[in-house]
Amino acid sequence: MKKGCFLTTITIVTILVMIGIYVYKTESELIKNFGKDKLIAIASKEISEQIKNLEYTPYKDSLLFVLSERAKQIKGQDFDSTLKKFGVIVENVKLVINDGVLDSTEFAEIKKLVKSHERSEKNRN
């Protein structure tokens, strides 16, 4: 490799790294929110497909509605706590639907779990 090519490569890599650091420091919230929205969408889609594969019960559609509403509600909350709370809800839903049937007690348990992970109006700011 020629000396000029090597120096040009080092200079360009250094500039690109500095641009990346600058963008991360100034726009990190935008990047986190974009990533949070994508992660929630992927998790919601995955769990919705698993719920649709269950046997038909009146609670199946209700569970889909509760989860989609919860996914809409958490878009405005902070990144770390949102992912933890939604992750706990998704894991519990997976455990409940593991047997292939959703009954009233399982639905009530999930609904109670979703309600317990909501923040009160007083603590939102």
Side-chain angles (χ1 to χ4, degrees):
M1 182 184 265
K2 292 184 180 180
K3 212 185 239 185
C5 291
F6 179 73
L7 291 176
T8 303
T9 304
I10 295 297
T11 304
I12 290 174
V13 168
T14 304
I15 290 172
L16 290 176
V17 167
M18 295 307 290
I19 289 172
I21 291 171
Y22 173 77
V23 168
Y24 177 75
K25 283 186 176 184
T26 59
E27 302 296 329
S28 64
E29 287 301 315
L30 178 67
I31 294 169
K32 279 185 177 180
N33 287 333
F34 179 75
K36 177 181 72 171
D37 292 343
K38 292 297 179 185
L39 288 174
I40 291 171
I42 290 169
S44 295
K45 183 179 177 186
E46 178 186 325
I47 199 73
S48 295
E49 289 174 2
Q50 290 179 358
I51 292 171
K52 288 178 183 176
N53 292 334
L54 291 175
E55 291 181 24
Y56 179 76
T57 62
Y59 303 104
K60 181 177 163 179
D61 294 332
S62 299
L63 181 60
L64 285 171
F65 179 75
V66 166
L67 289 176
S68 66
E69 287 298 311
R70 184 64 185 142
K72 288 178 189 175
Q73 289 175 352
I74 62 177
K75 287 190 178 194
Q77 298 175 1
D78 70 323
F79 184 76
D80 295 329
S81 68
T82 299
L83 291 182
K84 282 183 187 176
K85 289 177 183 177
F86 196 68
V88 168
I89 292 169
V90 168
E91 289 300 317
N92 284 324
V93 169
K94 284 183 181 180
L95 289 174
V96 167
I97 65 173
N98 195 21
D99 62 353
V101 178
L102 181 67
D103 61 1
S104 63
T105 56
E106 292 172 338
F107 177 70
E109 181 182 323
I110 291 173
K111 197 170 179 182
K112 183 178 169 185
L113 178 71
V114 168
K115 188 72 172 170
S116 70
H117 282 289
E118 289 181 352
R119 289 172 46 185
S120 67
E121 290 289 329
K122 198 184 314 181
N123 295 332
R124 289 201 177 179
N125 293 329

